[in-house]
Amino acid sequence: MNDDTNLNTDNHSTDKEQFEQAALHYHAHPRPGKISVTPTKQLANQRDLALAYSPGVAVPCLEIQRDPSLAAKYTARSNLVGVITNGTAVLGLGNIGALASKPVMEGKGVLFKKFAGIDVFDIEINQNDPDKFIEAVAALEPTFGGINLEDIKAPECFKIERELRERMNIPVFHDDQHGTSIIVAAAMLNALIITGKKIEDLKIICSGAGAAAISCLNIICALGVNKDNIYVSDSRGIISTRRENLDETKQMYARDTDATTIEEVIDGVDMFLGLSMPGTLTEDMVRRMAKDPIIFALANPTPEIMPELAHAVRPDVIMATGRSDYPNQVNNALCFPYIFRGALDVGATTINEEMKIACVRAIAAMAHVEATPAAHSKNIDNTPSFGREYLIPGPLEPNLIIEIASAVAKAAMDTGVATLPIEDLTAYRQHLSEFVYNSAFVMKPIFARAKSAPKRIVYCEGEDNNVLLAVQVVVDEGLAQPILVGRPAIIESNIKKLSLRLKDGDNITIVNIDDDPRYKDYWQGYYEKNKRNGVSIELARRDVRRETTLVGALLVENGDADGMICGTFGHYQLHLKYLQNVIGKKEGISDFYSMNAVLMQDRNIFIADTYIHEDPTAEQLAEMTVLAADQLRRFNITPRVALVSHSNFGTSDRASAVKMRKVFQLLSEMNVDFDFDGEMQGDAALDVNIRAHDLPSSKLQGAANLLILPTVDAANISFNLLKTATGSATIGPILLGANKPVHILTPSATARRVVNMTALAVTEAQDLENEQK
């Protein structure tokens, strides 16, 4: 027994040491620290230098002197937050000083940038005198659009924040207080929904009376908790009216009681709020709490009681902690990036109580909507849904910025503290979505058109969880009328498992081909059309029962659907075979082609042919280029085509170079209405300076946005390398040349990509309908 105990201790020590070394390496390499300053303007020549600095910089300086509000237009101030501390209460480390706190402040800056696109200067002030600290921070107002106070000990933090809010005309927000309190309040509201308890009747014990604890109590009382139903305990025990020398924040929650310990008042308590230290709450105390006890044990890294201990004595407990390895993590990252995003975007002069409450309600509401799977991930088996273990969304939920920032911005405008009010909140939400999803800006015209006249889109893999998540978004956004192919019992079971709001006959239609009156007509029609393509009567009967892509194609071909999405399971070529046999090619088009888009921060690149033709002919490539260019116009993008090769304007006579040269000739003879050039190397395609040097007479202006490559290997490798190396969002594969709006995706397709391709299929169906009219 002793040997096992020692072994476990040794293993734990080793894990801890390894983690500590990994943390040090993370902060030291490849360059020290976690942040840098990156210019947002080009500085490539003497003119750029003159505009950026002397003499050009004098012009905006004088404009701002004339009208100070123009600082938001000509400088980064309106998107710049100061993360400021004196290092007196750093995480669980205590008063470690300003310099030692710098890694934490840099980390805060990273979160601001990552989650909300907000720039940060971290400022560590070596000053513990609150009055001098206030003077130093107040003098920084011209620099920042907002101030995030961080890791300042109580009770000084209350005075510092209060006086800075009075003196400064920009938002001042002490995250240790309000960030935690906002998340706690949101989690509490949802816990009340689950338990059926009324907020005004809630009996609460709060262990801890520091900045976060007092702020939590203030906000839940603002939401309706009765202050007379709260007991607060600090390091000296229950705060009562008999205690002397209480500061003003503790006096607010002093009770007229003889009790001195939590244990004395725990009987029948509905909620325990812990912001203190490990072991404060015992298993016996948990047993004595009311039915469905709510325990938020937020001490870090070890909570007041470990969740497994609480659950062991009270299976009906609802738990939250500050840890990421347990459900319901109370994490300030859920709040501070987005409350500042909304405040900065409307030029708020403060963050008031109404803005905080709006943040609370937005976070609480988000837990009732299905969680978004991680970006670039198709694994959704553990995607949580609202319940005892999902009171609040996770900190990586991408839609937080859309819901919270817009709610905060609206509250700021409603309460009169916005100096730059937003006229169109719907457009603002769209702008926020463009930050979340790289595809949002490119897809904007597609989504707008799709919503204007939704069409019937059939999803061949209707049982797939990612498809179902996508369909929920499609329904919510009003993009299409979804038709799901699959077994109804499986589809409905998966809908329930994912806590979706989809209902057959209401907002979706399920096609069960095992019990569909169209089955006989479908298999007979398929047989007649393909009896000389190796399809027998028996094969037609069997395939129309089991091959969902074939079923989807028949729905579209027979006018029972307007478009189709398939390919989230199986091989691309197998899906293409059924489309060839049923849908066929557009009139005048000789073949099918595929195209993908990589949506990077600074450019969007479409690449073809990524999946179908191993070694296409020059004639096929020319036809594909015309089809691809037409598709780019659907996105409101002007095509700029590069015919890419290892050769650069005749430097090689290998077969692939000669082929791309012929494509150029064919396109020239066709008098196409878009700019193109080639054959050229990849760097010349994307860098106009290289192209200008190699071929000054090139008519292709600017960087190419459509790359036509000589083989499927070249196209597919280029697409996947660009996608992975840049971590970019993608669109596609987009099928070109089909007679109807149909697209074959790949098994790696995320729910977001399914949504994007749905909207694209709808616009194609709209165009086809207009052509037929």
Side-chain angles (χ1 to χ4, degrees):
M1 186 72 169
N2 289 338
D3 289 342
D4 290 343
T5 301
N6 290 336
L7 181 60
N8 290 336
T9 301
D10 290 343
N11 286 341
H12 176 74
S13 177
T14 300
D15 291 343
K16 183 173 183 291
E17 289 171 0
Q18 289 176 345
F19 181 80
E20 289 173 350
Q21 288 302 312
L24 292 174
H25 185 273
Y26 175 88
H27 282 81
H29 301 282
R31 54 185 291 185
K34 298 190 287 283
I35 58 175
S36 68
V37 176
T38 304
T40 59
K41 299 294 191 296
Q42 181 173 286
L43 201 66
N45 52 48
Q46 187 63 38
R47 177 172 172 77
D48 290 343
L49 184 59
L51 291 170
Y53 202 54
S54 182
V57 74
V59 181
C61 288
L62 293 173
E63 286 293 292
I64 294 169
Q65 182 188 36
R66 179 180 61 81
D67 180 359
S69 69
L70 291 176
K73 181 177 182 179
Y74 296 123
T75 76
R77 181 176 185 263
S78 63
N79 194 52
L80 184 62
V81 166
V83 174
I84 304 179
T85 188
N86 60 6
T88 53
V90 180
L91 296 176
L93 305 175
N95 186 357
I96 62 173
L99 181 59
S101 74
K102 190 171 181 63
V104 179
M105 303 309 117
E106 285 188 357
K108 196 73 175 243
V110 170
L111 298 181
F112 265 110
K113 188 67 174 180
K114 175 68 176 177
F115 293 143
I118 295 172
D119 295 317
V120 162
F121 290 161
D122 65 289
I123 297 179
E124 296 76 29
I125 300 175
N126 196 19
Q127 181 55 259
N128 290 355
D129 183 310
D131 292 317
K132 292 180 180 179
F133 184 88
I134 290 166
E135 289 298 327
V137 176
L140 296 173
E141 183 168 344
T143 303
F144 297 109
I147 300 293
N148 184 106
L149 298 173
E150 191 76 16
D151 292 349
I152 302 169
K153 73 182 181 72
E156 290 91 332
C157 62
F158 300 113
K159 171 188 169 84
I160 289 170
E161 186 195 39
R162 182 177 63 251
E163 294 194 14
L164 285 174
R165 289 185 63 183
E166 292 171 356
R167 292 179 57 173
M168 302 181 80
N169 203 38
I170 56 174
V172 176
F173 186 80
H174 185 207
D175 186 45
D176 298 320
Q177 293 181 56
H178 308 299
T180 301
S181 68
I182 286 168
I183 315 305
V184 163
M188 182 198 72
L189 291 179
N190 280 335
L192 294 180
I193 291 173
I194 292 170
T195 61
K197 296 182 179 185
K198 295 181 179 180
I199 193 168
E200 62 270 20
D201 297 332
L202 208 61
K203 296 179 180 178
I204 298 174
I205 288 178
C206 178
S207 175
I214 296 299
S215 185
C216 286
L217 297 175
N218 289 345
I219 201 165
I220 64 175
C221 287
L223 288 166
V225 170
N226 185 344
K227 188 164 66 172
D228 293 336
N229 289 341
I230 300 173
Y231 284 97
V232 181
S233 175
D234 62 9
S235 60
R236 295 172 54 198
I238 298 293
I239 297 175
S240 71
T241 54
R242 291 165 173 72
R243 291 258 301 265
E244 297 179 353
N245 300 320
L246 292 174
D247 64 57
E248 60 180 322
T249 58
K250 293 183 179 181
Q251 288 174 14
M252 294 167 54
Y253 294 98
R255 290 286 298 274
D256 185 8
T257 179
D258 293 329
T260 59
T261 66
I262 291 174
E263 191 169 6
E264 294 175 65
V265 293
I266 197 70
D267 290 335
V269 163
D270 297 292
M271 178 177 174
F272 174 87
L273 174 59
L275 293 126
S276 54
M277 57 187 296
T280 305
L281 188 66
T282 67
E283 292 157 271
D284 180 62
M285 293 180 194
V286 175
R287 286 191 188 95
R288 293 159 53 192
M289 292 179 69
K291 182 179 182 295
D292 291 316
I294 302 165
I295 297 177
F296 293 173
L298 307 181
N300 259 329
T302 306
E304 286 78 2
I305 186 170
M306 295 300 291
E308 52 268 27
L309 298 180
H311 282 289
V313 295
R314 291 298 296 268
D316 59 339
V317 70
I318 295 177
M319 282 287 302
T321 70
R323 292 171 55 135
S324 60
D325 52 347
Y326 289 100
N328 298 323
Q329 183 191 15
V330 174
N331 188 327
N332 288 15
L334 277 169
C335 166
F336 69 81
Y338 316 115
I339 198 167
F340 269 100
R341 180 73 280 160
L344 291 173
D345 288 341
V346 295
T349 57
T350 187
I351 294 176
N352 58 30
E353 292 306 307
E354 291 83 357
M355 294 161 73
K356 295 173 195 172
I357 295 297
C359 189
V360 169
R361 297 198 184 282
I363 293 170
M366 281 215 58
H368 295 263
V369 180
E370 56 280 353
T372 304
H376 310 302
S377 171
K378 198 188 173 190
N379 181 10
I380 60 170
D381 292 340
N382 296 320
T383 301
S385 57
F386 180 68
R388 289 174 177 262
E389 295 195 343
Y390 192 65
L391 296 176
I392 45 177
L396 298 179
E397 172 60 45
N399 292 324
L400 285 166
I401 188 174
I402 301 172
E403 301 302 329
I404 297 175
S406 58
V408 170
K410 183 177 185 302
M413 292 187 291
D414 290 345
T415 55
V417 299
T419 62
L420 302 169
I422 295 169
E423 293 183 6
D424 188 343
L425 276 174
T426 301
Y428 178 58
R429 288 174 61 88
Q430 172 64 30
H431 170 73
L432 293 172
S433 75
E434 290 165 10
F435 174 79
V436 180
Y437 303 106
N438 285 359
S439 61
F441 181 76
V442 174
M443 292 300 301
K444 188 174 182 178
I446 303 294
F447 278 107
R449 283 194 59 197
K451 291 178 182 181
S452 69
K455 299 298 178 184
R456 301 165 299 169
I457 301 298
V458 58
Y459 300 84
C460 299
E461 292 87 26
E463 298 174 7
D464 184 273
N465 285 339
N466 260 288
V467 169
L468 290 172
L469 284 170
V471 167
Q472 183 67 71
V473 176
V474 167
V475 168
D476 291 344
E477 296 290 329
L479 296 173
Q481 301 162 24
I483 301 169
L484 304 177
V485 178
R487 294 163 291 179
I490 301 298
I491 292 174
E492 288 166 2
S493 173
N494 289 345
I495 288 172
K496 184 177 180 181
K497 180 177 69 175
L498 295 169
S499 298
L500 303 180
R501 294 159 279 112
L502 304 175
K503 187 176 180 181
D504 186 23
D506 181 9
N507 50 20
I508 61 170
T509 300
I510 297 177
V511 172
N512 178 12
I513 207 64
D514 287 336
D515 184 25
D516 193 296
R518 296 168 292 192
Y519 169 69
K520 183 177 180 181
D521 290 339
Y522 275 13
W523 77 255
Q524 288 181 342
Y526 176 59
Y527 167 71
E528 286 298 326
K529 193 170 185 177
N530 292 279
K531 59 187 176 184
R532 294 186 180 276
N533 293 331
V535 176
S536 65
I537 290 176
E538 184 54 37
L539 183 61
R541 284 174 169 164
R542 188 176 60 185
D543 280 0
V544 175
R545 286 278 191 209
R546 69 181 185 180
E547 299 295 342
T548 59
T549 295
L550 175 57
V551 174
L554 289 166
L555 284 164
V556 174
E557 182 64 15
N558 285 280
D560 294 320
D562 302 306
M564 177 182 121
I565 302 294
C566 67
T568 61
F569 177 82
H571 297 292
Y572 191 96
Q573 295 297 332
L574 180 62
H575 295 284
L576 184 62
K577 182 188 77 170
Y578 289 120
L579 295 186
Q580 288 173 321
N581 291 345
V582 177
I583 300 293
K585 296 180 282 290
K586 285 182 181 178
E587 185 177 352
I589 299 301
S590 66
D591 220 325
F592 296 101
Y593 310 96
S594 66
M595 175 173 70
N596 282 77
V598 183
L599 311 177
M600 294 178 279
Q601 292 293 339
D602 60 340
R603 69 181 78 199
N604 304 311
I605 298 178
F606 291 76
I607 302 173
D609 173 8
T610 45
Y611 284 98
I612 296 176
H613 294 283
E614 183 176 353
D615 188 11
T617 66
E619 289 75 14
Q620 287 175 319
L621 288 173
E623 180 178 71
M624 177 181 70
T625 303
V626 173
L627 291 171
D630 286 344
Q631 195 66 269
L632 260 68
R633 292 191 183 96
R634 190 179 299 280
F635 293 91
N636 288 348
I637 295 174
T638 300
R640 296 190 300 273
V641 182
L643 309 173
V644 183
S645 170
H646 72 279
S647 174
N648 212 35
F649 305 114
T651 58
S652 169
D653 286 327
R654 291 180 182 174
S656 64
V658 172
K659 178 170 67 174
M660 299 309 288
R661 213 170 296 153
K662 185 176 180 181
V663 177
F664 176 81
Q665 295 171 351
L666 291 169
L667 291 174
S668 299
E669 293 167 3
M670 293 165 67
N671 291 318
V672 295
D673 58 349
F674 52 83
D675 290 342
F676 66 94
D677 208 343
E679 84 287 10
M680 70 178 73
Q681 293 176 347
D683 55 355
L686 301 181
D687 190 329
V688 66
N689 295 318
I690 293 175
R691 193 162 63 249
H693 179 270
D694 292 345
L695 191 72
S697 62
S698 175
K699 294 181 180 180
L700 179 60
Q701 300 298 311
N705 52 27
L706 173 55
L707 307 183
I708 304 298
L709 288 98
T711 65
V712 73
D713 276 353
N716 192 278
I717 290 169
S718 298
F719 164 66
N720 281 297
L721 284 175
L722 274 176
K723 173 187 72 173
T724 306
T726 61
S728 299
T730 63
I731 299 174
I734 299 169
L735 185 64
L736 305 173
N739 195 38
K740 298 284 180 69
V742 294
H743 294 288
I744 307 169
L745 306 188
T746 60
S748 64
T750 61
R752 187 70 190 183
R753 204 187 322 168
V754 175
V755 173
N756 288 339
M757 295 305 296
T758 298
L760 182 63
V762 170
T763 64
E764 292 171 333
Q766 292 169 346
D767 288 345
L768 183 61
E769 183 180 67
N770 292 334
E771 290 171 11
Q772 292 170 344
K773 287 179 180 179

